[in-house]
Amino acid sequence: MLISRKLPLAAALLTIVSIGVSSIVSLQIGSSAVNQKIVEKLEAVVDGRRNQLETFLANLQQDLTATSQNNLMRIALEGFKYDWGFLGADVMPELKRRYITENPFPQGQRQNYDTAQKPDAAKISSYDQTHERYHVQLREMTESRGWEDFFLVDMNGNVIYSVNKFDDYASNLRSDALKDTGIGRVFEGIVGPNETSRTVFADYAAYPVVDGQPAAFMGHAIASDMGIVGVIIIRLPSGKIAEIMSNVAGLGETGETVLLNAEGYLISDSIHTPDNDMLAVRIDSDLQQRAVDSAVVTGSLQGYRDMASTVAMTGIDFDGARWTVAALIDKSEAGASMVMMRNAILGLSLLLLLGAMAVSIWFSRSMTKPIEALVDNMRRLAQGDTTIELKGEDRKDEIGEMVRSVSVFRDAAIEKVELEREADKTRSMTERERQEREAAKTAEAARMQQAVDALADGLHRLSEGDLSVRLDTPFMESLDRLRLDFNASVEKLNATLSDVSENILGITGDTGELRAAADDLSRRTEQQAASLEQTSAALDEITATVKSSSQRADEATAKVAEAKQSTDTSSKVVSEAISAMGRIEGASVEISKIINVIDEIAFQTNLLALNAGVEAARAGEAGKGFAVVAQEVRELAQRSATAAKDIKGLINKSGDEVKSGVALVRETGEALGLIARHVSDINDQINSIATAAREQATGLGEINSAVNQMDQVTQQNAAMVEETTAVTHRLSGGAASLDGLVRQFTLSGSQRAAVSVQAANTRPVRTPSEPTHASAPASPVSATTSRSRPVQSPARTMISSVAKAFGAGKSNNATAASNDDWEEF
Amino acid sequence: MQDNSKTVADTGFLEIISFHLGSQVFCVNIMSVREIRGWAPSTTLPHSPPHVLGVINLRGSVIPVIDMAIRLGLKPIEPTERSAIIVTNIAGKLVGLLVENVSDMITVNTAELQPAPDVLPAAERALTKAIIPHDKQMICYLDLDALFSSPEDIAA
């Protein structure tokens, strides 16, 4: 596949994979976090509702207990009891007639009818008087506490007084109609076991008196020294419970809290349905079985309000009634934010993907276009076209490098063509020179042949028997001179050849030694090169180690910096904690002051109530009601004083706790400071390690370059040793061939010895031949030799001495041969 | 006072105000109480008997304050912010009684009143009109007229 397609494709794939994975992961994390949040919220709501309910019910119990111990209740009960008995056998229909049938107010407002006593009536009923005396007070009490109804019941179960006057007023709680209702069960629950010390409760159940609406009842005995004298019963304020349960703050549009009884029926009306759900709608879920005591359970619920919902439940045990508080929210609402988040992430991913693909296509286009042009140019250059034009040589990137490299190739190709042309020219010139030299050589050989012929003639004449003559009696001076010259020549030749032989022996020995030395040198240089290579490798390893340790030190520094930052943050937190503790202390002092004020107010209220009581007592009968109120106020004041004292104790205790907390936090701060100091110490150490490692790295770099230089020098040495070896070998070969030449002159050792002996013998004769020696440099052979070899060398010195020995061009045959050898050498 | 006794006899009920002196509980008839005040420093009078603490200003009228503990022969009271002065009307004169604290207003049946035991001299016995057993406590019902029968007691 082409790079121009590969690049954008790879970029797109990478983007898709990275965005896809991150989107899926973030979606999953977000989803679980949202679900967790909803469940936690539901748990918190359900817990809060349960606490509110428990507080509410406890208050209710406390109120009822306090009311039952109020003297007013006893007095009122006794009054009503007395008047009830006075009305005789028809008391129930009579009272129903007076306060229900003839009540000018409709059902539900009958409490506004203060008395049935007509101002102009001739007969005064004591019940109506008692009713008039207590009703307003009791009605206000009932209304202020939110009770739905308030009953006074005598020991026979007669409802002798009711605030709201429903049909249960002036009825008997042991009658068939009422004995199985909640109120009947409360009455029996108190009177049956003679229960005086606590309230008795009847759970919500359909109550026929209020048209089958659900009602719950709570009652308490009114006791005197003689035991129970009557019972007060209240109908529980379902409005307050509804108020608590209908608070849907934080539960969204579909969320709500409901209260269930033990069978799972709702005993609070759902605010999301138009009908009254109390005891009508049932939530059937096994979660309720697990939501006992204060445990909060969560789960899913199907069917309620035709939706699938997430629900949290917890139980309330109240005086035998096992209720369950449930908070629920529609799952689709809970999931709505998830859908929004998913859509946002998908949209964003798509945008990112499109952007990434556009950028990658543009980028790859800008890269592949010059490459294609370059590839075309390279193909043409490979086919030998050097006229190509190269664009983009001034680019700074790798493509610029490539273009420049191709231009180097093109220039090299042009240069090569020119070089080949010059080489052809040079070759033809050399050929011509060689032909000229060969012609000159042929002419010279002809001249030499003449000279050799003349010498051969001379030698032939000498060998034909003129030897003795020559030896005994001299002939013509010119012949003698020839003989002398011949003798001298033979003698000289003999001496020279023996010298040459000795010298060749010496040279052969020297070149042997030289070759051995060169071989040794070569071997050692190789060893040195190998050692250097090992050193270089070891150095590379050390450099890598030092680098990695430097890197580790840097990483450690980073970690230490992080640790330092963490400790700094912690110290800040500690100081904030200390100041927060200080604020708590200040707040405690403030609270103590306020509590003192409350205590003072309670004391003053107590005094005022006492004074009110005194005034009421002085007012006699007229002040009785007032006395009750004063008594209530006193009790309230005393309760406030007790509560203030409790709070004061708690505040003192919390102050102590705060003090110890401050000490602990301060210790923590000191410990953190110590850690911070240690951390910065560690940081210094690591920094110095890092510096040392960097210096080591620099040193190693220098060593490395030094080793590289040594390596180069060794390589040059090795090359030079090779050259030296080659030269030595050639020298040795030269000596051998020279030896061969000399052997052509002296065929046998005895002959050579003879020559040596002869040379030794003829040494005294050498002195007269000195002049010949002096004339030698003028000879053409010597001139030729010195021209061809301008540099001094031992072999050449030898050859020149041979040439001298031959004198004026004699025995040129051998010399020519030796010259040819030298030429090749 | 006679009128009050009559009322008691008629109704059968007696309303009293009880207060603490040390660990003991005493009470007076509510009808003789005019007012109950928090403790305030009193102005000492020269050469007054030990149980007369001094005088205080009650809305313009100067009334004496008696330390009931000393008057009844108990250890003197250390007045605190929670101490109270019961302003009583004794023989037409207002007198402040310093008590440790006022505990309660109680309605008792006259039938529950029991005479003080017959072991004290007549003068001392006259101080205690009756003993009222109430809530496991014995409340000593004081006769204020007898307490300050002599004019000097009040005037001083």
Side-chain angles (χ1 to χ4, degrees):
Chain A
M1 198 188 273
L2 288 172
I3 292 176
S4 56
R5 296 214 183 109
K6 242 192 263 179
L7 268 176
L9 214 57
L13 268 176
L14 267 177
T15 318
I16 288 169
V17 167
S18 63
I19 289 175
V21 167
S22 69
S23 306
I24 289 164
V25 168
S26 63
L27 262 176
Q28 275 180 349
I29 291 171
S31 158
S32 71
V34 166
N35 282 336
Q36 184 65 27
K37 262 276 174 290
I38 287 166
V39 168
E40 277 173 12
K41 193 195 279 176
L42 287 179
E43 283 174 351
V45 165
V46 88
D47 196 48
R49 295 291 183 279
R50 185 202 40 219
N51 289 342
Q52 271 179 295
L53 271 176
E54 279 177 348
T55 312
F56 167 71
L57 292 170
N59 281 342
L60 209 58
Q61 271 184 321
Q62 218 174 335
D63 271 350
L64 192 62
T65 309
T67 307
S68 73
Q69 288 160 357
N70 191 334
N71 277 341
L72 177 73
M73 292 303 143
R74 256 175 71 192
I75 295 166
L77 179 79
E78 293 299 335
F80 281 121
K81 262 159 88 175
Y82 177 79
D83 297 330
W84 179 279
F86 194 72
L87 284 171
D90 291 335
V91 55
M92 290 187 191
E94 172 64 21
L95 285 179
K96 280 195 181 190
R97 182 188 64 77
R98 281 192 205 170
Y99 285 93
I100 296 178
T101 319
E102 293 181 1
N103 195 319
F105 296 95
Q107 172 166 329
Q109 294 174 20
R110 285 176 191 152
Q111 66 268 31
N112 295 325
Y113 191 47
D114 285 345
T115 177
Q117 176 83 44
K118 303 288 186 291
D120 50 350
K123 192 184 167 193
I124 293 170
S125 166
S126 65
Y127 185 91
D128 293 339
Q129 278 184 325
T130 311
H131 192 277
E132 188 174 10
R133 189 181 303 149
Y134 297 111
H135 181 66
V136 176
Q137 223 170 320
L138 293 173
R139 184 181 68 209
E140 281 169 3
M141 179 181 79
T142 305
E143 282 174 357
S144 71
R145 296 185 184 177
W147 299 336
E148 298 222 320
D149 205 347
F150 174 82
F151 306 93
L152 285 172
V153 186
D154 69 6
M155 293 304 286
N156 298 318
N158 294 314
V159 179
I160 56 173
Y161 171 78
S162 145
V163 170
N164 288 359
K165 312 283 192 310
F166 281 90
D167 288 340
D168 45 12
Y169 169 64
S171 304
N172 194 303
L173 295 181
R174 283 174 170 157
S175 69
D176 290 343
L178 291 176
K179 71 177 180 190
D180 290 328
T181 60
I183 189 168
R185 276 184 277 124
V186 166
F187 176 74
E188 280 307 322
I190 293 168
V191 176
N194 203 14
E195 181 63 70
T196 59
S197 60
R198 64 175 192 88
T199 59
V200 173
F201 176 71
D203 196 358
Y204 278 98
Y207 188 46
V209 172
V210 287
D211 303 329
Q213 295 291 314
F217 295 91
M218 195 190 282
H220 196 284
I222 296 180
S224 77
D225 298 342
M226 282 86 82
I228 303 181
V229 294
V231 176
I232 59 169
I233 299 177
I234 58 164
R235 185 133 60 81
L236 239 59
S238 56
K240 282 269 179 90
I241 293 178
E243 201 181 298
I244 292 171
M245 299 311 288
S246 66
N247 179 6
V248 292
L251 286 173
E253 286 176 4
T254 60
E256 63 169 334
T257 49
V258 290
L259 187 62
L260 310 174
N261 68 5
E263 285 77 36
Y265 283 102
L266 262 61
I267 49 177
S268 70
D269 186 15
S270 163
I271 58 159
H272 289 295
T273 55
D275 306 323
N276 187 0
D277 305 315
M278 285 184 82
L279 296 183
V281 176
R282 185 165 182 229
I283 291 180
D284 189 13
S285 167
D286 56 348
L287 285 173
Q288 195 178 352
Q289 311 308 319
R290 292 192 279 123
V292 290
D293 298 332
S294 58
V296 178
V297 298
T298 57
S300 299
L301 185 65
Q302 290 286 345
Y304 173 65
R305 275 170 49 206
D306 298 329
M307 64 185 191
S309 39
T310 305
V311 64
M313 288 188 175
T314 186
I316 296 185
D317 266 7
F318 176 66
D319 211 353
R322 285 186 50 196
W323 292 348
T324 305
V325 180
L328 48 92
I329 188 166
D330 193 346
K331 276 189 177 166
S332 63
E333 186 187 347
S337 62
M338 271 314 298
V339 171
M340 232 173 70
M341 191 162 99
R342 189 194 61 207
N343 290 344
I345 287 177
L346 280 182
L348 205 63
S349 318
L350 211 61
L351 276 178
L352 277 175
L353 189 62
L354 287 175
M357 282 183 75
V359 168
S360 60
I361 286 170
W362 173 80
F363 182 66
S364 58
R365 275 250 160 270
S366 75
M367 199 143 51
T368 51
K369 228 181 219 172
I371 289 182
E372 278 167 6
L374 191 63
V375 166
D376 188 41
N377 280 334
M378 280 160 79
R379 198 182 300 123
R380 280 170 61 196
L381 183 63
Q383 287 162 358
D385 184 359
T386 54
T387 59
I388 50 171
E389 273 184 35
L390 294 170
K391 284 176 193 167
E393 276 185 78
D394 47 355
R395 284 178 74 129
K396 295 272 187 288
D397 54 6
E398 286 86 346
I399 292 169
E401 290 278 334
M402 282 161 77
V403 173
R404 282 193 286 279
S405 305
V406 171
S407 86
V408 169
F409 279 128
R410 183 191 60 186
D411 296 348
I414 293 170
E415 207 175 331
K416 194 176 123 198
V417 170
E418 281 183 7
L419 277 177
E420 274 174 1
R421 206 181 297 138
E422 270 182 28
D424 278 353
K425 221 191 280 175
T426 318
R427 208 180 301 133
S428 60
M429 266 175 69
T430 319
E431 185 67 19
R432 209 163 47 237
E433 271 177 13
R434 198 176 60 85
Q435 284 171 356
E436 281 171 12
R437 208 161 50 221
E438 270 178 9
K441 252 183 207 167
T442 318
E444 199 173 340
R447 283 200 303 274
M448 279 166 97
Q449 189 57 52
Q450 284 176 347
V452 168
D453 283 348
L455 187 62
D457 278 346
L459 286 170
H460 190 68
R461 270 184 294 175
L462 280 173
S463 64
E464 268 182 352
D466 286 336
L467 254 155
S468 54
V469 175
R470 184 201 53 153
L471 288 171
D472 294 333
T473 51
F475 277 87
M476 289 166 72
E477 198 171 335
S478 62
L479 278 177
D480 190 40
R481 216 182 135 193
L482 190 62
R483 185 189 55 98
L484 282 175
D485 280 351
F486 180 76
N487 279 347
S489 292
V490 168
E491 188 184 325
K492 196 95 175 170
L493 184 63
N494 196 17
T496 306
L497 282 178
S498 73
D499 274 0
V500 167
S501 179
E502 273 169 30
N503 274 339
I504 283 170
L505 275 177
I507 287 169
T508 308
D510 287 349
T511 45
E513 277 175 26
L514 198 56
R515 200 165 53 196
D519 286 346
D520 271 3
L521 187 56
S522 168
R523 208 165 50 240
R524 279 176 208 150
T525 312
E526 268 168 28
Q527 279 176 0
Q528 192 180 2
S531 303
L532 274 173
E533 239 164 71
Q534 284 173 359
T535 312
S536 179
L539 268 176
D540 283 347
E541 277 173 28
I542 294 171
T543 310
T545 312
V546 166
K547 260 187 200 148
S548 102
S549 70
S550 165
Q551 220 166 346
R552 294 276 149 72
D554 286 348
E555 282 168 20
T557 311
K559 292 273 181 233
V560 164
E562 276 173 32
K564 197 161 159 38
Q565 209 170 350
S566 299
T567 52
D568 287 351
T569 316
S570 311
S571 346
K572 210 181 288 170
V573 169
V574 163
S575 66
E576 277 171 18
I578 289 174
S579 72
M581 296 275 192
R583 287 200 293 278
I584 293 172
E585 265 185 320
S588 299
V589 171
E590 289 296 315
I591 292 171
S592 290
K593 280 182 195 160
I594 292 167
I595 294 299
N596 279 336
V597 172
I598 292 173
D599 197 28
E600 181 63 30
I601 289 171
F603 174 69
Q604 294 294 346
T605 310
N606 192 26
L607 280 187
L608 282 175
L610 277 171
N611 280 322
V614 168
E615 291 299 333
R618 291 164 76 86
E621 189 68 19
K624 256 192 180 154
F626 192 59
V628 171
V629 175
Q631 185 68 21
E632 291 284 303
V633 172
R634 281 203 61 214
E635 279 170 13
L636 275 179
Q638 270 160 12
R639 260 161 67 182
S640 309
T642 317
K645 202 187 287 172
D646 289 352
I647 293 171
K648 212 168 184 176
L650 288 176
I651 291 287
N652 287 341
K653 206 170 150 196
S654 89
D656 294 345
E657 296 292 334
V658 164
K659 262 177 211 142
S660 72
V662 166
L664 287 176
V665 167
R666 199 161 283 145
E667 277 173 30
T668 312
E670 283 165 10
L672 276 173
L674 204 64
I675 292 172
R677 279 201 294 285
H678 287 169
V679 163
S680 61
D681 285 355
I682 294 170
N683 196 11
D684 292 347
Q685 303 282 354
I686 287 173
N687 273 339
S688 56
I689 291 174
T691 314
R694 246 172 255 127
E695 283 169 7
Q696 281 175 7
T698 317
L700 278 171
E702 284 168 12
I703 294 174
N704 213 354
S705 65
V707 167
N708 277 340
Q709 280 178 3
M710 276 165 76
D711 194 34
Q712 279 176 7
V713 171
T714 310
Q715 295 292 340
Q716 288 170 355
N717 282 356
M720 202 167 281
V721 164
E722 225 165 86
E723 273 179 37
T724 313
T725 313
V727 170
T728 314
H729 278 254
R730 275 184 303 195
L731 194 62
S732 176
S737 64
L738 197 62
D739 191 41
L741 288 176
V742 172
R743 271 176 205 278
Q744 283 179 359
F745 285 104
T746 57
L747 289 172
S748 64
S750 61
Q751 227 171 349
R752 196 197 266 179
V755 171
S756 308
V757 170
Q758 203 177 347
N761 289 341
T762 54
R763 199 165 286 159
V765 196
R766 273 172 81 183
T767 318
S769 69
E770 284 292 325
T772 356
H773 223 295
S775 69
S779 74
V781 174
S782 170
T784 313
T785 318
S786 59
R787 194 190 58 203
S788 68
R789 281 286 167 216
V791 186
Q792 283 294 107
S793 88
R796 206 171 299 119
T797 318
M798 268 185 322
I799 287 166
S800 66
S801 53
V802 170
K804 280 176 205 164
F806 272 95
K810 286 173 188 170
S811 76
N812 265 349
N813 213 349
T815 322
S818 92
N819 264 346
D820 278 347
D821 280 352
W822 273 112
E823 199 75 22
E824 276 180 29
F825 186 78
Chain B
M1 206 61 209
Q2 283 300 317
D3 290 346
N4 290 341
S5 310
K6 209 172 175 183
T7 319
V8 166
D10 286 349
T11 58
F13 286 101
L14 174 67
E15 284 190 283
I16 53 166
I17 284 196
S18 63
F19 54 85
H20 281 271
L21 289 172
S23 57
Q24 287 193 48
V25 185
F26 297 88
C27 69
V28 294
N29 192 325
I30 202 161
M31 289 306 170
S32 56
V33 175
R34 196 39 91 71
E35 188 179 338
I36 299 165
R37 292 171 55 84
W39 183 81
S42 54
T43 309
T44 316
L45 296 176
H47 294 298
S48 54
H51 63 270
V52 178
L53 288 176
V55 292
I56 57 168
N57 184 350
L58 180 72
R59 285 188 291 280
S61 53
V62 174
I63 61 165
V65 178
I66 308 294
D67 187 335
M68 280 303 277
I70 298 177
R71 180 64 189 87
L72 295 175
L74 304 171
K75 270 205 285 186
I77 296 172
E78 282 292 324
T80 65
E81 281 182 12
R82 294 287 177 265
S83 303
I85 295 174
I86 303 176
V87 180
T88 53
N89 186 353
I90 302 173
K93 283 186 177 176
L94 291 179
V95 179
L97 308 179
L98 175 67
V99 300
E100 208 159 298
N101 60 40
V102 177
S103 59
D104 214 347
M105 257 163 63
I106 307 165
T107 306
V108 294
N109 201 320
T110 41
E112 292 174 28
L113 296 181
Q114 294 184 14
D118 206 4
V119 293
L120 290 170
E124 264 68 37
R125 208 173 61 206
L127 294 180
T128 307
K129 204 183 264 180
I131 301 290
I132 307 169
H134 180 80
D135 281 355
K136 303 173 193 167
Q137 291 189 75
M138 303 297 274
I139 303 177
C140 188
Y141 181 27
L142 296 174
D143 186 349
L144 289 176
D145 293 333
L147 269 175
F148 305 108
S149 52
S150 56
E152 303 86 58
D153 280 341
I154 301 168

